[in-house]
Amino acid sequence: MKMILEQARKNYDDYIKLLQSLVNIDSGSKNKKGVDKVGRILIDSFKAFDKKYEIEVIEEEECGNHLVITKRGNIPGKILLLAHMDTVFPEGTVAQRPFSIAGNRAYGPGVIDDKGCIASLYYGLKILDEIYEEDTKTIQVIFNSDEEISSIYSRNIIEKYAGDADYAIILESARANGDVVTARKGIAKYVLKVEGKAAHAGSNPQDGVNAIIELCHKAVELSTLTDWDKGTTVNVGLIQGGTSPNTVPDYGEITVDIRISTLEEASKIEKKIQQIAQKKYVPGTMTFLEGGIKRPPLEKNQYSAKIYETVKDLGAEMGIQIGEVFAGGGSDGNFTSALGIPTIDGLGPVGGGYHSKDEYMDLDSVIPRISLLIKLIWKLSHL
């Protein structure tokens, strides 16, 4: 571990330079030009490994291209690592608040979600290669470009390459206290669209069929599906419909965000939502249901628990206490976990303020977290 820490310290200044170059690129999920610029920096960086890494570019039209980067190891099996190049910030954010350092914190759009994690992954693999060479399982990295919009284009790619993986390590940030993520809620989104019949609210309201009233009944019933004890939340977050106050509305729709902790609970909720959609409170209305599970839950099991115990033990060797957390937000680890791949999340540096102007990365965590990642890859290769 001492040698790993020394190498991480030697690479720290270069790490900061790479981080700054990544953060100072606007790379929102829909900003293909910006995301591809991030991708080109990574391609050039991995090419410096003198052909030890195979680089595959998976082209996209609607978002940035995805990268799959592979290094063959001498030990049978494969470890999959995931990180994302996109952020939530619009074009022009970098001009307003570029990369900066104040005290022991780095700031800037996407500095911890996920560009600090990308830089840690790169230097982790660089140092791993210098110390252990091919004495690992095959290492495969997916840098996708649409994680912040639920990986709608890259999900099939992740699931394809995860199929033969022994383990999945997700390079999202550690929590502010250094904890890693061993479970995440799944995410489902549904849209209920109701058609009614328009009529003048003063002259002939009796001839109308009010779509909004039907939606309101359904919204109230949907909200009753929230079960705090099971970790299930149902949020009717958007509602729209109608054309004017003096017209009986002939159309309306609601969008519902659902968070669930287990696949079993997800299946139950889906059936209940279908039943609510089929109910008719206002005669003459018709309801159409769209949507489904966007990210399955990342459920902690005996296999992921074993990885966490390994992480905790490695942290203890470094004098770091590493706890675990159940996160409400999703990540690409939800997909690998649902495939039965033992998955650990939150292996990046420590940070917080995600998706806000206050987003930060704790610079003191960079060297220990890179070292932890290197040791974890080597350890999982030899289990």
Side-chain angles (χ1 to χ4, degrees):
M1 183 66 81
K2 183 178 179 181
M3 183 183 298
I4 294 173
L5 285 166
E6 288 176 352
Q7 288 296 96
R9 292 189 189 100
K10 287 180 181 178
N11 283 274
Y12 179 77
D13 289 343
D14 289 335
Y15 172 96
I16 295 298
K17 291 177 183 177
L18 175 62
L19 177 63
Q20 181 174 6
S21 69
L22 295 174
V23 171
N24 282 342
I25 299 171
D26 285 315
S27 59
S29 303
K30 294 295 186 178
N31 185 344
K32 177 174 174 57
K33 182 179 178 181
V35 176
D36 286 345
K37 188 174 181 180
V38 170
R40 283 193 296 273
I41 290 175
L42 293 174
I43 290 170
D44 291 343
S45 298
F46 276 97
K47 282 183 177 178
F49 282 131
D50 192 25
K51 298 184 179 179
K52 290 184 178 181
Y53 282 82
E54 304 163 15
I55 300 173
E56 178 184 2
V57 179
I58 301 175
E59 297 188 358
E60 293 281 0
E61 294 182 1
E62 299 298 326
C63 62
N65 299 332
H66 315 298
L67 305 180
V68 180
I69 299 177
T70 307
K71 180 190 175 187
R72 307 295 171 182
N74 292 332
I75 298 174
K78 185 175 86 174
I79 298 173
L80 183 68
L81 297 101
L82 302 179
H84 63 93
M85 300 179 286
D86 62 322
T87 73
V88 299
F89 299 102
E91 183 81 28
T93 304
V94 168
Q96 295 173 2
R97 47 184 187 87
F99 178 81
S100 64
I101 293 176
N104 69 335
R105 288 185 174 185
Y107 295 90
V111 69
I112 192 62
D113 187 16
D114 199 35
K115 294 180 178 179
C117 299
I118 289 174
S120 291
L121 196 165
Y122 172 76
Y123 278 100
L125 295 184
K126 179 178 183 292
I127 297 166
L128 180 77
D129 184 61
E130 292 169 351
I131 295 176
Y132 296 113
E133 296 184 344
E134 282 78 36
D135 186 28
T136 63
K137 293 178 182 286
T138 290
I139 296 168
Q140 192 164 66
V141 182
I142 299 177
F143 293 110
N144 65 330
S145 63
D146 61 342
E147 192 275 344
E148 296 292 4
I149 53 173
S150 298
S151 302
I152 54 178
Y153 301 105
S154 61
R155 176 176 180 174
N156 65 326
I157 297 167
I158 293 168
E159 291 175 341
K160 171 187 173 183
Y161 285 98
D164 63 344
D166 297 319
Y167 304 99
I169 300 174
I170 314 302
L171 270 293
E172 295 282 352
S173 77
R175 305 299 96 171
N177 62 356
D179 287 354
V180 296
V181 179
T182 55
R184 288 182 181 271
K185 286 188 177 183
I187 302 171
K189 289 187 179 179
Y190 293 91
V191 178
L192 281 76
K193 300 179 178 181
V194 174
E195 293 182 358
K197 182 181 178 182
H200 194 284
S203 300
N204 59 329
Q206 69 280 4
D207 295 330
V209 178
N210 196 310
I212 288 179
I213 297 300
E214 176 71 12
L215 275 176
C216 289
H217 280 290
K218 292 185 186 317
V220 170
E221 189 163 0
L222 285 166
S223 67
T224 66
L225 299 180
T226 291
D227 188 327
W228 301 110
D229 293 335
K230 292 182 178 179
T232 299
T233 58
V234 179
N235 180 59
V236 181
L238 291 173
I239 183 167
Q240 55 186 330
T243 56
S244 68
N246 62 345
T247 302
V248 177
D250 63 351
Y251 179 80
E253 64 179 62
I254 52 175
T255 302
V256 187
D257 178 281
I258 299 171
R259 307 290 167 126
I260 57 276
S261 300
T262 66
L263 283 171
E264 180 182 3
E265 180 69 4
S267 179
K268 291 179 180 177
I269 290 295
E270 186 171 42
K271 290 178 181 177
K272 290 179 180 178
I273 290 174
Q274 290 171 348
Q275 292 170 356
I276 292 171
Q278 291 167 5
K279 280 187 180 181
K280 191 170 292 188
Y281 297 90
V282 178
T285 56
M286 293 182 63
T287 299
F288 303 90
L289 178 64
E290 298 176 357
I293 298 174
K294 302 298 182 184
R295 291 187 190 271
L298 193 169
E299 298 183 51
K300 184 180 178 182
N301 54 37
Q302 59 179 324
Y303 306 108
S304 58
K306 186 175 180 180
I307 304 178
Y308 167 64
E309 290 302 319
T310 301
V311 169
K312 188 168 68 171
D313 291 344
L314 292 173
E317 291 179 16
M318 301 167 62
I320 302 172
Q321 183 176 347
I322 300 177
E324 60 180 319
V325 67
F326 175 27
S331 81
D332 289 330
N334 293 53
F335 300 132
T336 58
S337 175
L339 292 173
I341 311 301
T343 299
I344 188 78
D345 200 342
L347 265 291
V350 172
Y354 316 103
H355 298 188
S356 77
K357 63 180 178 60
D358 300 316
E359 183 175 338
Y360 73 91
M361 185 180 72
D362 182 347
L363 292 172
D364 293 338
S365 72
V366 170
I367 291 171
R369 300 305 285 213
I370 290 177
S371 303
L372 176 65
L373 176 63
I374 295 167
K375 198 63 181 178
L376 177 62
I377 293 172
W378 187 87
K379 190 76 172 181
L380 293 179
S381 292
H382 292 80
L383 286 178

